[in-house]
């Protein structure tokens, strides 16, 4: 035996004899090498390319203290610039015919996605769907007979159990790091739909989207986030439980997006004093402080002051539990709420409706896709705009009946005041009813004339005149 191994073995034996390390623990130190060898083949490297459009007015640096700065800032013609960005992440193959799981933020705003296997084969990937709220994305590559991971049970994990992460931190492909489960069911700020697995396995930029394995070589999570003050690993990482991810995958495969239920209540966390005032021994449950008129909860007789303690028999410890449980129920499926009302237990049957609202903070995770993949997008070269018809959910969020989203604008249109993200809602004094109305107005307009568009921006409507060209 080499001298170094002999010394280590002697030290370990001495520790066991001294009672510092239990003999059972010493005999069961995990060896992840077989897992890396067998399961690592299904772990992939994901690289993305995206085009970033920036607008500047080319003002010299250091002018902000100059009295004429505001004049130049307002009237200097804007100049649009495009630059290419690339990023790296990880993923893993969940079916032999080419379905790949990763994080939504890995493919956010990507125009092109490449999946690289451990045997150096590379494939262009298509996004089947991405769910910003759980940070899960499903990709598809055109290949077959691929190695796949084995799915484990995240609920069976125990705090202290060994885990292994495989990914591409900082671009170093197929890097393995190990640790233990250091916490379960962690609810993070703004992440109310995921009960995260907390680990101390080293996760760094590039690991996102890669698998978290248990000691049996089964995937139990998707590595998603780290807690860091430095931008690098500091001992706390978070993974999305695989059961949560696979529920999302089923919906993404079926319809390309995730439907979530809502019951129309505003909730408040229970303090110990509040719980006592309602006759509860401990502050467990979600206190309702408002009910949406004519919403599902109101129709079921749920009232302000009720405390939701269960959803179909599953315990509700906090408001985040309630959001996660209700959000996982398909809209239209009845659910039984266990309530605490007037110091006694009761129940109510509620039928959730589909949740339409979208948290704007999650927009950075939405997959943008290439221009060719955007549905209902058309080019109007006469006025230098690329427009997309808003879908019903977007129209409802914007509070309008019809609108065309500005996806792109040339320099002439931008100098006139149009910005990507604006929504065209009218022509002159007439509200816009369909895209043919805009086409007819442009056909009737003379070259060199202007057309006045009603534009919705950040909830405010304004008129912007655009010059009409010949479309060349």
């Amino acid at each position: 035996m080499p001298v170094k191994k002999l010394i280590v073995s002697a030290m370990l034996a001495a520790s066991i004899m001294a009672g510092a390390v239990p003999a059972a623990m010493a005999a069961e130190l995990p060896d992840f090498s077989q897992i890396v060898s067998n399961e690592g083949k299904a772990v992939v490297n994901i690289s993305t390319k995206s085009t970033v459009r920036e607008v500047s007015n080319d003002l010299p640096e250091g002018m902000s203290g100059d009295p004429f700065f505001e004049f130049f800032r307002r009237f200097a013609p804007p100049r649009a610039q495009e630059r290419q960005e690339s990023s790296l992440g990880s993923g893993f193959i969940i079916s032999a015919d080419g379905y790949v799981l990763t994080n939504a933020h890995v493919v956010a705003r990507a125009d092109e996605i490449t999946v690289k296997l451990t045997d150096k084969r590379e494939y262009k990937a298509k996004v089947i769907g991405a769910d910003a709220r759980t940070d899960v994305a499903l990709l598809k590559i055109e290949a077959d007979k691929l190695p796949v991971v084995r799915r484990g049970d995240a609920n069976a994990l125990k705090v202290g159990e060994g885990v292994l992460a495989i990914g591409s931190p900082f671009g170093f492909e197929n890097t393995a790091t190990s640790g233990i489960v250091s916490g379960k069911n962690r609810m993070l700020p703004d992440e109310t739909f995921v009960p995260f697995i907390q680990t101390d396995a080293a996760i760094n930029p590039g690991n996102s989207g890669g698998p978290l394995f248990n000691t049996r070589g089964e995937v139990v999570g998707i590595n998603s986030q780290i807690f860091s003050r430095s931008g690098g690993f500091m001992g706390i990482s978070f993974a999305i439980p695989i059961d949560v991810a696979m529920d999302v995958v089923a919906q993404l495969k079926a319809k390309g997006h995730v439907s979530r239920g809502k019951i129309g209540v505003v909730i408040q966390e229970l303090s110990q004093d509040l719980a006592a005032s309602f006759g509860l021994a401990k502050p467990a449950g979600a206190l309702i402080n408002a009910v949406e008129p004519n919403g599902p909860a109101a129709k079921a007789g749920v009232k302000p002051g009720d405390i939701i303690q269960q959803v179909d028999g599953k315990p509700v410890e906090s408001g985040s539990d309630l959001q996660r449980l209700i959000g996982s129920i398909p809209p239209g499926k009845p659910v039984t709420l266990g309530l605490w009302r007037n110091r006694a237990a009761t129940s109510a049957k509620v039928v959730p409706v589909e949740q339409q609202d979208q948290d704007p903070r999650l927009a950075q995770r939405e997959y943008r896709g290439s221009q060719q993949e955007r549905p209902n997008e058309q080019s109007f070269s006469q006025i230098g705009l690329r427009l997309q018809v808003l879908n019903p959910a977007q129209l409802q969020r914007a509070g309008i009946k019809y609108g065309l989203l500005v996806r792109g604008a040339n320099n002439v249109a931008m100098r006139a005041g149009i910005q990507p993200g604006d929504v065209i809602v009218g022509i002159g004094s007439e509200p816009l009813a369909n895209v043919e109305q805009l086409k007819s107005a442009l056909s009737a307009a003379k070259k060199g004339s202007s057309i006045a568009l009603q534009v919705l921006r950040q909830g405010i409507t304004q008129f912007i005149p655009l010059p009409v060209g010949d479309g060349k």
Side-chain angles (χ1 to χ4, degrees):
M1 180 182 292
V3 175
K4 194 172 185 180
K5 272 194 173 182
L6 187 60
I7 293 172
V8 172
S9 299
M11 291 174 65
L12 184 57
S15 298
I16 293 172
M17 292 177 65
V21 179
M25 183 184 297
E28 297 178 6
L29 290 175
D31 179 3
F32 290 112
S33 60
Q34 201 62 42
I35 296 175
V36 175
S37 176
N38 293 342
E39 310 301 327
K41 299 182 182 69
V43 182
V44 300
N45 171 260
I46 297 175
S47 58
T48 68
K49 293 181 180 179
S50 58
T51 301
V52 178
R53 186 179 179 86
E54 297 176 332
V55 180
S56 67
N57 51 16
D58 292 330
L59 291 177
E61 293 184 6
M63 282 191 66
S64 57
D66 190 291
F68 293 104
F69 174 77
E70 181 63 21
F71 173 83
F72 283 108
R73 186 187 70 79
R74 292 180 61 187
F75 295 103
R79 184 168 64 90
Q81 291 180 313
E82 290 187 349
R83 58 183 174 84
Q84 295 292 316
E85 278 190 354
S86 60
S87 64
L88 294 173
S90 304
F92 52 98
I93 304 168
I94 59 173
S95 68
D97 58 347
Y99 283 99
V100 176
L101 207 53
T102 187
N103 285 148
H105 77 260
V106 169
V107 297
R109 303 183 302 278
D111 293 315
E112 183 180 303
I113 303 168
T114 302
V115 171
K116 184 178 180 181
L117 278 59
T118 55
D119 60 10
K120 307 303 179 184
R121 285 183 291 170
E122 294 187 4
Y123 299 91
K124 298 299 180 187
K126 176 184 178 182
V127 175
I128 301 301
D131 180 51
R133 289 189 179 275
T134 54
D135 198 17
V136 172
L138 180 65
L139 312 182
K140 181 68 168 64
I141 60 176
E142 295 304 318
D144 56 16
K145 299 180 180 179
L146 297 172
V148 299
V149 296
R150 292 180 295 125
R151 178 179 167 183
D153 182 2
N155 295 314
L157 281 176
K158 297 179 181 178
V159 175
E161 183 176 338
V163 285
L164 173 76
I166 303 179
S168 304
F170 304 108
F172 294 106
E173 299 176 13
N174 304 107
T175 295
T177 55
S178 66
I180 63 168
V181 176
S182 50
K184 291 183 64 178
N185 298 319
R186 297 297 196 204
M187 304 306 295
L188 305 182
D190 306 327
E191 303 287 352
T192 52
F193 291 96
V194 179
F196 285 96
I197 303 165
Q198 180 184 319
T199 83
D200 67 351
I203 303 298
N204 282 291
N207 271 115
S208 291
L212 184 74
F213 294 97
N214 61 19
T215 53
R216 293 176 294 282
E218 301 163 334
V219 172
V220 290
I222 307 175
N223 297 309
S224 176
Q225 299 187 37
I226 61 174
F227 178 84
S228 176
R229 291 191 174 96
S230 66
F233 176 68
M234 292 183 68
I236 298 180
S237 308
F238 298 99
I240 304 159
I242 192 63
D243 56 310
V244 172
M246 295 308 294
D247 287 344
V248 170
V249 165
Q251 291 202 54
L252 294 179
K253 274 188 175 183
K255 50 192 176 184
H257 69 278
V258 177
S259 295
R260 290 190 173 87
K262 74 167 187 175
I263 58 174
V265 295
V266 178
I267 56 178
Q268 177 180 340
E269 296 297 336
L270 277 172
S271 65
Q272 184 64 57
D273 290 340
L274 267 176
S277 69
F278 283 100
L280 290 172
K282 61 177 184 176
L287 172 62
I288 299 175
N289 62 19
V291 178
E292 179 183 308
N294 300 316
K299 292 177 181 178
V302 176
K303 305 173 182 178
D306 287 349
I307 297 171
I308 300 178
Q309 297 181 309
Q310 292 181 335
V311 174
D312 274 346
K314 297 177 181 177
V316 174
E317 295 292 329
S318 64
S320 57
D321 281 348
L322 178 65
Q323 287 185 284
R324 175 173 54 83
L325 290 171
I326 294 296
S328 66
I329 296 169
K333 180 183 178 182
V335 59
T336 300
L337 303 180
L339 302 174
W340 183 259
R341 177 188 295 167
N342 297 330
R343 296 176 177 262
T346 185
S347 65
K349 184 161 286 188
V350 181
V351 181
V353 296
E354 184 166 7
Q355 182 172 261
Q356 299 286 351
D357 57 315
Q358 175 70 20
D359 189 337
R361 291 168 294 187
L362 300 175
Q364 61 180 345
R365 290 185 184 169
E366 292 180 345
Y367 172 67
R368 186 181 70 185
S370 64
Q371 293 177 12
Q372 291 76 17
E373 293 175 320
R374 292 174 188 152
N376 302 322
E377 185 174 304
Q378 299 183 43
S379 178
F380 292 82
S381 53
Q382 304 100 311
I383 49 177
L385 297 179
R386 207 169 60 246
L387 305 175
Q388 178 183 337
V389 178
L390 293 181
N391 62 39
Q394 292 170 323
L395 292 173
Q396 184 177 23
R397 288 197 294 271
I400 56 178
K401 293 183 178 180
Y402 188 85
L404 296 172
L405 175 65
V406 178
R407 281 292 194 180
N410 66 12
N411 289 340
V412 174
M414 293 182 72
R415 278 198 294 269
I418 292 285
Q419 301 175 8
D422 288 346
V423 178
I424 298 174
V425 295
I427 304 172
S429 59
E430 296 294 324
L432 196 61
N434 51 58
V435 72
E436 298 302 322
Q437 184 180 344
L438 177 58
K439 290 179 179 179
S440 297
L442 292 176
S443 297
K446 295 181 180 179
K447 179 185 175 183
S449 64
S450 291
I451 183 170
L453 301 179
Q454 289 184 37
V455 174
L456 179 66
R457 180 185 301 162
Q458 296 181 349
I460 300 174
T461 303
Q462 57 183 303
F463 287 91
I464 296 179
L466 275 188
V468 179
D470 59 5
K472 296 180 180 179

Short mmCIF file of all heavy atoms in Angstrom, two decimals, residues 68-107:
data_model
loop_
_atom_site.label_atom_id
_atom_site.label_comp_id
_atom_site.label_asym_id
_atom_site.label_seq_id
_atom_site.Cartn_x
_atom_site.Cartn_y
_atom_site.Cartn_z
N PHE A 68 -25.81 71.70 -21.30
CA PHE A 68 -26.45 71.37 -22.58
C PHE A 68 -26.69 69.87 -22.73
O PHE A 68 -27.15 69.41 -23.77
CB PHE A 68 -25.57 71.85 -23.74
CG PHE A 68 -25.46 73.34 -23.82
CD1 PHE A 68 -24.30 73.98 -23.41
CD2 PHE A 68 -26.52 74.10 -24.29
CE1 PHE A 68 -24.20 75.36 -23.46
CE2 PHE A 68 -26.42 75.48 -24.35
CZ PHE A 68 -25.26 76.11 -23.93
N PHE A 69 -26.38 69.10 -21.67
CA PHE A 69 -26.51 67.65 -21.77
C PHE A 69 -27.95 67.23 -22.06
O PHE A 69 -28.21 66.40 -22.92
CB PHE A 69 -26.03 66.99 -20.46
CG PHE A 69 -26.26 65.50 -20.43
CD1 PHE A 69 -25.44 64.63 -21.13
CD2 PHE A 69 -27.32 64.96 -19.69
CE1 PHE A 69 -25.64 63.27 -21.10
CE2 PHE A 69 -27.54 63.60 -19.66
CZ PHE A 69 -26.68 62.76 -20.36
N GLU A 70 -28.92 67.84 -21.33
CA GLU A 70 -30.31 67.46 -21.52
C GLU A 70 -30.78 67.77 -22.93
O GLU A 70 -31.53 67.00 -23.54
CB GLU A 70 -31.20 68.18 -20.49
CG GLU A 70 -32.68 67.84 -20.57
CD GLU A 70 -32.96 66.38 -20.27
OE1 GLU A 70 -32.10 65.73 -19.63
OE2 GLU A 70 -34.01 65.88 -20.69
N PHE A 71 -30.30 68.91 -23.48
CA PHE A 71 -30.67 69.26 -24.85
C PHE A 71 -30.18 68.19 -25.82
O PHE A 71 -30.93 67.70 -26.66
CB PHE A 71 -30.07 70.62 -25.22
CG PHE A 71 -30.26 70.98 -26.68
CD1 PHE A 71 -31.44 71.55 -27.12
CD2 PHE A 71 -29.25 70.73 -27.61
CE1 PHE A 71 -31.61 71.87 -28.46
CE2 PHE A 71 -29.43 71.05 -28.93
CZ PHE A 71 -30.61 71.63 -29.37
N PHE A 72 -28.91 67.81 -25.70
CA PHE A 72 -28.35 66.81 -26.61
C PHE A 72 -28.99 65.44 -26.38
O PHE A 72 -29.22 64.69 -27.32
CB PHE A 72 -26.83 66.71 -26.43
CG PHE A 72 -26.09 67.84 -27.06
CD1 PHE A 72 -25.48 68.83 -26.29
CD2 PHE A 72 -25.99 67.95 -28.44
CE1 PHE A 72 -24.80 69.88 -26.87
CE2 PHE A 72 -25.30 69.00 -29.03
CZ PHE A 72 -24.71 69.97 -28.25
N ARG A 73 -29.30 65.13 -25.10
CA ARG A 73 -29.90 63.83 -24.81
C ARG A 73 -31.26 63.69 -25.48
O ARG A 73 -31.61 62.62 -25.99
CB ARG A 73 -30.05 63.66 -23.30
CG ARG A 73 -30.54 62.27 -22.88
CD ARG A 73 -30.85 62.21 -21.40
NE ARG A 73 -32.03 62.99 -21.07
CZ ARG A 73 -33.27 62.57 -21.26
NH1 ARG A 73 -33.50 61.39 -21.79
NH2 ARG A 73 -34.31 63.33 -20.95
N ARG A 74 -32.02 64.77 -25.51
CA ARG A 74 -33.36 64.72 -26.06
C ARG A 74 -33.40 64.74 -27.57
O ARG A 74 -34.27 64.15 -28.20
CB ARG A 74 -34.20 65.87 -25.50
CG ARG A 74 -34.49 65.75 -24.01
CD ARG A 74 -35.32 66.92 -23.51
NE ARG A 74 -36.62 66.98 -24.19
CZ ARG A 74 -37.48 67.97 -24.03
NH1 ARG A 74 -37.17 68.99 -23.23
NH2 ARG A 74 -38.63 67.98 -24.65
N PHE A 75 -32.45 65.44 -28.19
CA PHE A 75 -32.56 65.66 -29.62
C PHE A 75 -31.50 64.95 -30.46
O PHE A 75 -31.58 64.95 -31.68
CB PHE A 75 -32.52 67.17 -29.92
CG PHE A 75 -33.70 67.90 -29.36
CD1 PHE A 75 -33.58 68.66 -28.21
CD2 PHE A 75 -34.95 67.78 -29.95
CE1 PHE A 75 -34.67 69.33 -27.68
CE2 PHE A 75 -36.05 68.45 -29.43
CZ PHE A 75 -35.91 69.21 -28.29
N ALA A 76 -30.49 64.35 -29.83
CA ALA A 76 -29.52 63.58 -30.61
C ALA A 76 -30.21 62.35 -31.19
O ALA A 76 -30.94 61.66 -30.48
CB ALA A 76 -28.35 63.15 -29.72
N PRO A 77 -30.04 62.06 -32.46
CA PRO A 77 -30.74 60.92 -33.07
C PRO A 77 -30.24 59.60 -32.47
O PRO A 77 -29.05 59.41 -32.28
CB PRO A 77 -30.35 61.01 -34.56
CG PRO A 77 -29.07 61.79 -34.57
CD PRO A 77 -29.17 62.75 -33.43
N PRO A 78 -31.16 58.71 -32.10
CA PRO A 78 -30.75 57.43 -31.53
C PRO A 78 -30.10 56.54 -32.58
O PRO A 78 -30.39 56.64 -33.77
CB PRO A 78 -32.07 56.82 -31.06
CG PRO A 78 -33.11 57.43 -31.94
CD PRO A 78 -32.63 58.83 -32.24
N ARG A 79 -29.21 55.69 -32.13
CA ARG A 79 -28.55 54.75 -33.03
C ARG A 79 -28.67 53.35 -32.44
O ARG A 79 -28.35 53.12 -31.28
CB ARG A 79 -27.07 55.12 -33.19
CG ARG A 79 -26.33 54.24 -34.20
CD ARG A 79 -24.97 54.85 -34.51
NE ARG A 79 -24.12 54.88 -33.35
CZ ARG A 79 -23.29 53.88 -33.01
NH1 ARG A 79 -23.25 52.79 -33.75
NH2 ARG A 79 -22.54 53.98 -31.94
N ALA A 80 -29.19 52.46 -33.27
CA ALA A 80 -29.38 51.09 -32.81
C ALA A 80 -28.16 50.25 -33.14
O ALA A 80 -27.60 50.35 -34.24
CB ALA A 80 -30.61 50.49 -33.47
N GLN A 81 -27.74 49.44 -32.20
CA GLN A 81 -26.62 48.55 -32.40
C GLN A 81 -27.02 47.14 -31.98
O GLN A 81 -27.83 46.96 -31.08
CB GLN A 81 -25.41 48.98 -31.55
CG GLN A 81 -24.78 50.28 -31.99
CD GLN A 81 -23.59 50.64 -31.12
OE1 GLN A 81 -23.68 50.58 -29.90
NE2 GLN A 81 -22.49 51.00 -31.74
N GLU A 82 -26.49 46.17 -32.68
CA GLU A 82 -26.73 44.79 -32.33
C GLU A 82 -25.40 44.11 -32.02
O GLU A 82 -24.40 44.35 -32.68
CB GLU A 82 -27.43 44.04 -33.45
CG GLU A 82 -28.88 44.47 -33.66
CD GLU A 82 -29.60 43.60 -34.66
OE1 GLU A 82 -28.90 42.80 -35.34
OE2 GLU A 82 -30.83 43.69 -34.77
N ARG A 83 -25.43 43.28 -30.98
CA ARG A 83 -24.24 42.51 -30.65
C ARG A 83 -24.65 41.09 -30.29
O ARG A 83 -25.78 40.84 -29.86
CB ARG A 83 -23.47 43.15 -29.50
CG ARG A 83 -24.26 43.32 -28.21
CD ARG A 83 -23.43 44.03 -27.15
NE ARG A 83 -24.21 44.32 -25.96
CZ ARG A 83 -24.42 43.46 -24.97
NH1 ARG A 83 -23.87 42.26 -25.02
NH2 ARG A 83 -25.15 43.81 -23.91
N GLN A 84 -23.74 40.17 -30.48
CA GLN A 84 -24.01 38.77 -30.21
C GLN A 84 -23.57 38.41 -28.80
O GLN A 84 -22.51 38.83 -28.34
CB GLN A 84 -23.27 37.87 -31.21
CG GLN A 84 -23.74 38.03 -32.65
CD GLN A 84 -25.16 37.52 -32.85
OE1 GLN A 84 -25.51 36.46 -32.36
NE2 GLN A 84 -25.96 38.29 -33.56
N GLU A 85 -24.40 37.66 -28.10
CA GLU A 85 -24.07 37.16 -26.78
C GLU A 85 -24.15 35.64 -26.80
O GLU A 85 -24.97 35.06 -27.51
CB GLU A 85 -25.03 37.70 -25.71
CG GLU A 85 -24.70 39.08 -25.21
CD GLU A 85 -25.53 39.45 -23.99
OE1 GLU A 85 -26.43 38.67 -23.63
OE2 GLU A 85 -25.27 40.52 -23.42
N SER A 86 -23.30 35.00 -26.02
CA SER A 86 -23.35 33.55 -25.89
C SER A 86 -23.34 33.19 -24.42
O SER A 86 -22.86 33.95 -23.58
CB SER A 86 -22.17 32.90 -26.61
OG SER A 86 -20.95 33.35 -26.06
N SER A 87 -23.88 32.02 -24.10
CA SER A 87 -23.90 31.57 -22.71
C SER A 87 -23.82 30.05 -22.69
O SER A 87 -24.06 29.37 -23.70
CB SER A 87 -25.16 32.04 -21.99
OG SER A 87 -26.30 31.45 -22.57
N LEU A 88 -23.45 29.53 -21.52
CA LEU A 88 -23.30 28.09 -21.35
C LEU A 88 -24.17 27.60 -20.20
O LEU A 88 -24.39 28.32 -19.23
CB LEU A 88 -21.84 27.73 -21.07
CG LEU A 88 -20.83 27.97 -22.19
CD1 LEU A 88 -19.42 27.72 -21.67
CD2 LEU A 88 -21.13 27.06 -23.38
N GLY A 89 -24.64 26.39 -20.32
CA GLY A 89 -25.40 25.76 -19.25
C GLY A 89 -25.32 24.25 -19.39
O GLY A 89 -24.50 23.73 -20.17
N SER A 90 -26.15 23.57 -18.65
CA SER A 90 -26.14 22.11 -18.66
C SER A 90 -27.57 21.60 -18.82
O SER A 90 -28.54 22.37 -18.74
CB SER A 90 -25.54 21.58 -17.35
OG SER A 90 -24.25 22.09 -17.14
N GLY A 91 -27.69 20.31 -19.03
CA GLY A 91 -28.99 19.67 -19.14
C GLY A 91 -28.80 18.17 -19.09
O GLY A 91 -27.69 17.67 -18.94
N PHE A 92 -29.91 17.43 -19.24
CA PHE A 92 -29.80 15.98 -19.26
C PHE A 92 -30.93 15.39 -20.08
O PHE A 92 -32.02 15.95 -20.19
CB PHE A 92 -29.76 15.38 -17.84
CG PHE A 92 -30.87 15.82 -16.94
CD1 PHE A 92 -32.00 15.04 -16.75
CD2 PHE A 92 -30.78 17.02 -16.24
CE1 PHE A 92 -33.01 15.43 -15.90
CE2 PHE A 92 -31.79 17.43 -15.38
CZ PHE A 92 -32.91 16.63 -15.21
N ILE A 93 -30.64 14.23 -20.68
CA ILE A 93 -31.56 13.58 -21.60
C ILE A 93 -32.55 12.73 -20.81
O ILE A 93 -32.15 11.89 -19.99
CB ILE A 93 -30.80 12.70 -22.61
CG1 ILE A 93 -29.75 13.55 -23.35
CG2 ILE A 93 -31.76 12.07 -23.61
CD1 ILE A 93 -28.77 12.73 -24.16
N ILE A 94 -33.85 12.93 -21.05
CA ILE A 94 -34.87 12.19 -20.30
C ILE A 94 -35.58 11.15 -21.16
O ILE A 94 -36.35 10.36 -20.62
CB ILE A 94 -35.90 13.14 -19.68
CG1 ILE A 94 -36.61 13.99 -20.75
CG2 ILE A 94 -35.24 14.03 -18.64
CD1 ILE A 94 -37.75 14.81 -20.21
N SER A 95 -35.33 11.14 -22.47
CA SER A 95 -35.90 10.09 -23.32
C SER A 95 -34.97 9.81 -24.48
O SER A 95 -34.27 10.72 -24.96
CB SER A 95 -37.30 10.47 -23.84
OG SER A 95 -37.22 11.54 -24.74
N ALA A 96 -34.94 8.56 -24.93
CA ALA A 96 -33.98 8.15 -25.95
C ALA A 96 -34.22 8.82 -27.29
O ALA A 96 -33.32 8.82 -28.16
CB ALA A 96 -34.04 6.63 -26.12
N ASP A 97 -35.42 9.41 -27.49
CA ASP A 97 -35.71 10.06 -28.77
C ASP A 97 -35.37 11.54 -28.77
O ASP A 97 -35.76 12.27 -29.68
CB ASP A 97 -37.16 9.85 -29.17
CG ASP A 97 -38.14 10.36 -28.11
OD1 ASP A 97 -37.69 10.66 -26.98
OD2 ASP A 97 -39.35 10.46 -28.41
N GLY A 98 -34.65 12.03 -27.74
CA GLY A 98 -34.08 13.37 -27.85
C GLY A 98 -34.69 14.47 -27.02
O GLY A 98 -34.41 15.65 -27.28
N TYR A 99 -35.50 14.15 -26.00
CA TYR A 99 -36.00 15.20 -25.12
C TYR A 99 -34.96 15.50 -24.04
O TYR A 99 -34.44 14.58 -23.40
CB TYR A 99 -37.33 14.80 -24.48
CG TYR A 99 -38.50 14.93 -25.42
CD1 TYR A 99 -39.01 13.82 -26.07
CD2 TYR A 99 -39.09 16.18 -25.66
CE1 TYR A 99 -40.09 13.93 -26.94
CE2 TYR A 99 -40.16 16.30 -26.52
CZ TYR A 99 -40.66 15.17 -27.17
OH TYR A 99 -41.72 15.30 -28.03
N VAL A 100 -34.70 16.79 -23.85
CA VAL A 100 -33.65 17.24 -22.93
C VAL A 100 -34.26 18.22 -21.94
O VAL A 100 -35.01 19.12 -22.32
CB VAL A 100 -32.49 17.92 -23.69
CG1 VAL A 100 -31.44 18.47 -22.72
CG2 VAL A 100 -31.84 16.94 -24.66
N LEU A 101 -33.91 18.07 -20.67
CA LEU A 101 -34.41 18.93 -19.62
C LEU A 101 -33.31 19.89 -19.18
O LEU A 101 -32.15 19.51 -19.03
CB LEU A 101 -34.87 18.08 -18.43
CG LEU A 101 -35.95 18.63 -17.50
CD1 LEU A 101 -37.17 19.06 -18.29
CD2 LEU A 101 -36.34 17.57 -16.49
N THR A 102 -33.68 21.16 -18.95
CA THR A 102 -32.73 22.16 -18.47
C THR A 102 -33.50 23.26 -17.75
O THR A 102 -34.70 23.14 -17.52
CB THR A 102 -31.89 22.74 -19.63
OG1 THR A 102 -30.87 23.60 -19.12
CG2 THR A 102 -32.75 23.52 -20.61
N ASN A 103 -32.81 24.34 -17.39
CA ASN A 103 -33.47 25.49 -16.77
C ASN A 103 -34.01 26.44 -17.82
O ASN A 103 -33.42 26.60 -18.90
CB ASN A 103 -32.48 26.27 -15.90
CG ASN A 103 -32.17 25.60 -14.59
OD1 ASN A 103 -31.07 25.73 -14.08
ND2 ASN A 103 -33.11 24.89 -14.00
N ALA A 104 -35.12 27.09 -17.51
CA ALA A 104 -35.67 28.11 -18.42
C ALA A 104 -34.69 29.25 -18.61
O ALA A 104 -34.56 29.80 -19.71
CB ALA A 104 -37.01 28.62 -17.89
N HIS A 105 -33.98 29.63 -17.54
CA HIS A 105 -33.08 30.79 -17.68
C HIS A 105 -31.85 30.46 -18.53
O HIS A 105 -31.18 31.38 -19.03
CB HIS A 105 -32.67 31.33 -16.30
CG HIS A 105 -31.63 30.53 -15.58
ND1 HIS A 105 -31.93 29.65 -14.58
CD2 HIS A 105 -30.29 30.51 -15.71
CE1 HIS A 105 -30.82 29.11 -14.11
NE2 HIS A 105 -29.80 29.62 -14.79
N VAL A 106 -31.55 29.17 -18.73
CA VAL A 106 -30.42 28.80 -19.59
C VAL A 106 -30.70 29.15 -21.05
O VAL A 106 -29.82 29.57 -21.80
CB VAL A 106 -30.08 27.30 -19.44
CG1 VAL A 106 -29.11 26.83 -20.51
CG2 VAL A 106 -29.50 27.03 -18.06
N VAL A 107 -31.96 28.99 -21.47
CA VAL A 107 -32.32 29.24 -22.88
C VAL A 107 -33.07 30.55 -23.06
O VAL A 107 -33.57 30.83 -24.16
CB VAL A 107 -33.15 28.07 -23.44
CG1 VAL A 107 -32.33 26.79 -23.44
CG2 VAL A 107 -34.44 27.86 -22.64
#
